[in-house]
Amino acid sequence: MEKKQEGFSQLAITLLNYYDGAYYVDINTGEYTVLVPLKGLKKLNAPYTGDDFYTDSVKILSKCVHPNDLENIKKASDKNTILEALSEGDVYTNIFRIIINENVIHMKRSLFLCPDRDHAICCLENIEEDFIKKETQKKNLESAERMARFDELTGVRNKNAFKEYSESIDDKIKSGEKNFSFGLILCDMNDLKLMNDTRGHNFGDEYIQRASRIICNIFTHSPVFRIGGDEFVVVLTGEDYENRRELLNLLIVESLENKKSRSGPVIAAGMSVYKAGSDKSFSKVFNRADKLMYKNKKELKSIFINRLGKDVERIDVKITNERKRLLDALFGAFCTVSDGGYLYLNDMCYDFSRWSYSLVTDFAMPSEYMYQVGKLWDEHIHPDDLKAYRKAVDKIFSKSDAGLMPLKYRARKADGTYVLLSTRGFVLNDKDGDPEYFGGIIVPL
């Protein structure tokens, strides 16, 4: 069932690999399916499916939860409590302790509401290492002097520390110190305001923390500063300075992948290097990096993708409510006239699809509503059949009549086994003759 993680968009590929256990839950009925088996908790013999997530989760966790946290986990697992929390925000989180081999481990359970608002992904995460780090950091930050120089949210150095550090570099520049070199990388997160407005500031804070970890994990030999809400500065020193181009490229590549897959922070970056003799101050180097960062920020925002032969669509364009209602109406009509099988319908203007619930469940897809589902479905197709499948899809869009075209191929189900499918796809064109909707019927053989 762990293969189900491949359905929760590219975002889930990252998330579900990151968590120690995950469930796909119908928050109304309580029905659930395991996406990622509980790591390190095999002795609990937790079921892979069930009819009452709210009751079963308490039964499972009560076998290992710390006695002092048992009542809290019962309250936090109450159906009404969870539904109320998810009605107010898209994420519901609680922290508790479990005991494994006499060791106390802190766990974090998060329920992420799916786009259909009827399902949620419940993720369990071992945060003991982070908890220990935070406790250590908390002790280290108890002194007023340290608190004044480190960012509370991310743990990196703050704007005050950056001011002191830049002044010390200015002193070296003015003194004419020989063999002195450094570089700067300015980083700025794309779409943080949108994240805060749509997902809440708590999610935005986690987004900032993830961006900080990415930067720190790449530039391991350089001080990192958070100088604004979503702005970071890396002062390149030592090995990082010597390998600056390779490291910057790692950051750019990861941001591009996150942009395409919606799986993490998109970080714009610009780099500049101190030029002895011509740069009379730290600010000269900073301003060059700042301009290059904003240039990269615009480039990232302008990235386009090409899906299923349709001309370019912006990644960050969301389907309108009117188009979503039209998609639902067309899908309903499609269900009425179809004769069984799995159904899917894609609005190609937004690359936004609706899939039948049985198809979503049987093949471990994240939701009945999904963006950019073509790439997700490709990952379910047997490698030996993928080339023929893509060729058939291209053929559909190349035909002037856009008629039904049967295709047989193997696809991986939620349990990891492959099943032979027969698919008949079709294209609906708009008034100008351009593909507007792409749909089909998938029948297991």
Side-chain angles (χ1 to χ4, degrees), residues 166-236:
S166 62
E167 288 174 351
S168 69
I169 292 179
D170 255 334
D171 291 339
K172 291 182 179 181
I173 293 174
K174 292 175 182 177
S175 68
E177 182 176 328
K178 296 181 179 180
N179 300 320
F180 173 59
S181 61
F182 73 94
L184 292 179
I185 291 185
L186 266 65
C187 303
D188 186 280
M189 297 166 57
N190 276 15
D191 301 324
L192 179 62
K193 183 179 184 304
L194 176 64
M195 195 72 61
N196 286 331
D197 292 343
T198 58
R199 303 295 298 275
H201 286 273
N202 287 339
F203 191 90
D205 286 348
E206 290 187 13
Y207 202 69
I208 292 172
Q209 290 170 331
R210 291 180 63 194
S212 177
R213 287 197 294 269
I214 290 173
I215 295 169
C216 291
N217 287 340
I218 291 176
F219 303 99
T220 56
H221 298 90
S222 300
V224 177
F225 303 84
R226 183 184 176 208
I227 62 171
D230 57 354
E231 297 174 286
F232 293 84
V233 177
V234 183
V235 181
L236 297 167

Side-chain angles (χ1 to χ4, degrees), residues 23-233:
Y23 296 80
Y24 182 66
V25 183
D26 186 317
I27 61 175
N28 297 310
T29 67
E31 294 179 346
Y32 66 92
T33 301
V34 172
L35 303 180
V36 177
L38 295 172
K39 299 176 183 177
L41 298 176
K42 293 182 179 180
K43 294 181 180 180
L44 298 181
N45 295 319
Y48 279 85
T49 60
D51 298 323
D52 190 347
F53 168 79
Y54 305 99
T55 301
D56 289 355
S57 61
V58 173
K59 289 181 180 179
I60 296 168
L61 292 175
S62 63
K63 297 178 181 179
C64 61
V65 74
H66 193 288
N68 294 342
D69 292 346
L70 184 57
E71 286 303 315
N72 288 336
I73 203 65
K74 288 180 179 179
K75 293 178 182 179
S77 300
D78 176 71
K79 180 178 180 179
N80 292 331
T81 300
I82 291 176
L83 292 178
E84 182 178 354
L86 291 178
S87 69
E88 297 175 353
D90 292 341
V91 183
Y92 173 57
T93 300
N94 47 81
I95 295 174
F96 55 92
R97 293 165 293 176
I98 61 174
I99 301 175
I100 300 179
N101 299 326
E102 300 183 354
N103 295 318
V104 177
I105 298 174
H106 287 77
M107 299 292 293
K108 179 180 179 181
R109 182 176 67 172
S110 303
L111 275 83
F112 300 91
L113 191 63
C114 293
D116 65 357
R117 307 197 73 80
D118 288 324
H119 299 83
I121 303 296
C122 175
C123 298
L124 290 169
E125 177 186 3
N126 182 337
I127 60 169
E128 184 61 20
E129 184 177 344
D130 288 342
F131 181 82
I132 293 174
K133 287 181 180 179
K134 287 182 179 180
E135 285 298 299
T136 302
Q137 184 186 62
K138 183 179 179 181
K139 292 177 182 179
N140 291 336
L141 294 177
E142 287 178 345
S143 70
E145 181 179 356
R146 187 167 180 82
M147 286 288 288
R149 288 170 173 78
F150 282 79
D151 178 56
E152 184 177 356
L153 179 63
T154 62
V156 302
R157 305 185 198 195
N158 64 13
K159 192 173 183 178
N160 292 332
F162 177 69
K163 183 174 182 295
E164 293 178 358
Y165 202 92
S166 62
E167 288 174 351
S168 69
I169 292 179
D170 255 334
D171 291 339
K172 291 182 179 181
I173 293 174
K174 292 175 182 177
S175 68
E177 182 176 328
K178 296 181 179 180
N179 300 320
F180 173 59
S181 61
F182 73 94
L184 292 179
I185 291 185
L186 266 65
C187 303
D188 186 280
M189 297 166 57
N190 276 15
D191 301 324
L192 179 62
K193 183 179 184 304
L194 176 64
M195 195 72 61
N196 286 331
D197 292 343
T198 58
R199 303 295 298 275
H201 286 273
N202 287 339
F203 191 90
D205 286 348
E206 290 187 13
Y207 202 69
I208 292 172
Q209 290 170 331
R210 291 180 63 194
S212 177
R213 287 197 294 269
I214 290 173
I215 295 169
C216 291
N217 287 340
I218 291 176
F219 303 99
T220 56
H221 298 90
S222 300
V224 177
F225 303 84
R226 183 184 176 208
I227 62 171
D230 57 354
E231 297 174 286
F232 293 84
V233 177

Side-chain angles (χ1 to χ4, degrees), residues 218-321:
I218 291 176
F219 303 99
T220 56
H221 298 90
S222 300
V224 177
F225 303 84
R226 183 184 176 208
I227 62 171
D230 57 354
E231 297 174 286
F232 293 84
V233 177
V234 183
V235 181
L236 297 167
T237 60
E239 293 180 30
D240 288 353
Y241 178 81
E242 298 299 327
N243 301 313
R244 57 189 179 275
R245 297 190 184 280
E246 293 84 353
L247 296 176
L248 177 61
N249 187 60
L250 288 177
L251 180 61
I252 292 173
V253 169
E254 183 159 358
S255 290
L256 286 173
E257 288 301 315
N258 289 344
K259 174 79 171 180
K260 295 173 183 176
S261 64
R262 302 173 184 266
S263 62
V266 178
I267 304 170
M271 181 178 70
S272 64
V273 174
Y274 168 64
K275 300 176 181 178
S278 60
D279 287 331
K280 303 300 182 181
S281 66
F282 179 88
S283 62
K284 292 288 187 181
V285 188
F286 182 94
N287 290 338
R288 284 202 305 273
D290 191 49
K291 289 179 181 179
L292 291 172
M293 181 272 291
Y294 275 104
K295 179 182 178 182
N296 182 234
K297 191 175 184 72
K298 291 180 180 179
E299 291 171 348
L300 286 170
K301 283 184 174 292
S302 65
I303 288 178
F304 289 81
I305 56 172
N306 195 322
R307 305 290 293 178
L308 295 175
K310 176 70 176 175
D311 203 0
V312 294
E313 295 293 341
R314 232 183 227 273
I315 290 179
D316 53 5
V317 172
K318 299 290 186 180
I319 191 169
T320 64
N321 290 333

